[in-house]
Amino acid sequence: SNPAAQAVVPRSRRRQRRSQAIWNVEELGRWLTVALEDPFAGMWLLAATSGMRRSELAGVRREMLDLAGGQLHIEDTRVVVDGPARVSDGTSTAGRRDISLDSFTCQELAKLLERLDGERKAIGPDYPTHALIMVNEAGRPLHPDSITARFNRLVDRAGVRRLRLHDVRHTYATFAPDPGADPKTLADPIGHANISVTLPTAGHRSFGRAPPTPKDHATPP
């Protein structure tokens, strides 16, 4: 057999750059206005204000949150493997991190936890014992694809361009840093091990670099 037949060819950097899309500030605001009406408003705020990945959002547990201290510790994630979702501890060292939460996000997360407490009390002993936050009314974890589908419905209701949930992360990376900031200050909280991953998304606006031109994408001689 040919072992190369099972190899997965990595995407070219040029293709990766073309696939990245972001909302402008107005579009982000319109989506958040609708998202704040959703029962998972606190989690959508996390996506918009921290640049968390879908797998990280799906894996948030109560013990990872310190709302009094305004902190979230990111560790295990929930990923899709051949259809089913499973917990993964394969997060890189950069992926395991503490991020700061603003007071408004903490407020919405507190409302979410209060709702979950009410659902747990109503169901009683049959409620699942896990501490995951993105769960349905019966306490069963939402499949990551269901999270994406829910996100898409909110996007359509907001009447903004249809982007991927992961593009909210790109939007955050573009608008979060202050002008002139060190790229490392952004790469750490969003979980990039190397700033070379961060710069293609954030560099053109936040770190004083000009937008890429056709010449920038040309193959070197």
Side-chain angles (χ1 to χ4, degrees):
S1 63
N2 181 1
Q6 304 300 321
V8 178
V9 179
R11 292 181 300 172
S12 69
R13 182 163 298 186
R14 181 185 305 176
R15 180 180 174 185
Q16 288 177 332
R17 288 179 179 177
R18 283 202 303 266
S19 68
Q20 290 182 354
I22 65 170
W23 279 323
N24 58 38
V25 174
E26 179 185 359
E27 290 171 314
L28 179 61
R30 287 168 59 187
W31 174 73
L32 279 174
T33 298
V34 172
L36 287 174
E37 299 174 356
D38 187 77
F40 291 102
M43 300 304 290
W44 302 128
L45 272 174
L46 266 183
T49 61
S50 70
M52 289 175 62
R53 303 172 176 89
R54 182 183 74 167
S55 60
E56 294 170 343
L57 293 169
V60 172
R61 303 188 308 274
R62 285 175 179 256
E63 61 266 27
M64 295 162 60
L65 282 169
D66 175 13
L67 297 184
Q71 293 283 322
L72 169 64
H73 177 68
I74 300 176
E75 41 186 45
D76 294 344
T77 61
R78 293 189 72 240
V79 298
V80 179
V81 181
D82 296 329
R86 72 179 187 187
V87 176
S88 171
D89 60 357
T91 304
S92 66
T93 301
R96 299 186 188 97
R97 61 199 187 278
D98 294 320
I99 60 175
S100 298
L101 306 177
D102 63 89
S103 59
F104 184 55
T105 300
C106 288
Q107 175 184 320
E108 291 299 323
L109 286 170
K111 291 179 182 178
L112 173 56
L113 295 181
E114 183 178 357
R115 176 176 66 80
L116 295 179
D117 287 339
E119 293 171 353
R120 179 186 295 272
K121 183 177 180 180
I123 293 177
D126 292 333
Y127 196 90
T129 57
H130 63 72
L132 291 170
I133 292 178
M134 295 207 80
V135 298
N136 64 16
E137 294 82 356
R140 290 189 291 271
L142 295 182
H143 190 283
D145 289 345
S146 296
I147 295 175
T148 295
R150 194 178 191 105
F151 166 78
N152 289 338
R153 288 194 293 271
L154 294 173
V155 171
D156 291 342
R157 284 177 53 195
V160 296
R161 284 178 297 142
R162 175 71 79 91
L163 301 184
R164 303 171 305 167
L165 176 54
H166 196 77
D167 291 324
V168 177
R169 176 176 170 84
H170 295 157
T171 301
Y172 169 82
T174 300
F175 291 107
D178 294 326
D182 180 352
K184 183 67 173 172
T185 64
L186 175 62
D188 286 345
I190 65 176
H192 282 166
N194 193 316
I195 63 172
S196 65
V197 180
T198 311
L199 283 174
T201 298
H204 69 276
R205 181 192 182 280
S206 304
F207 303 117
R209 292 176 55 185
T213 65
K215 181 178 180 181
D216 294 328
H217 289 178
T219 302

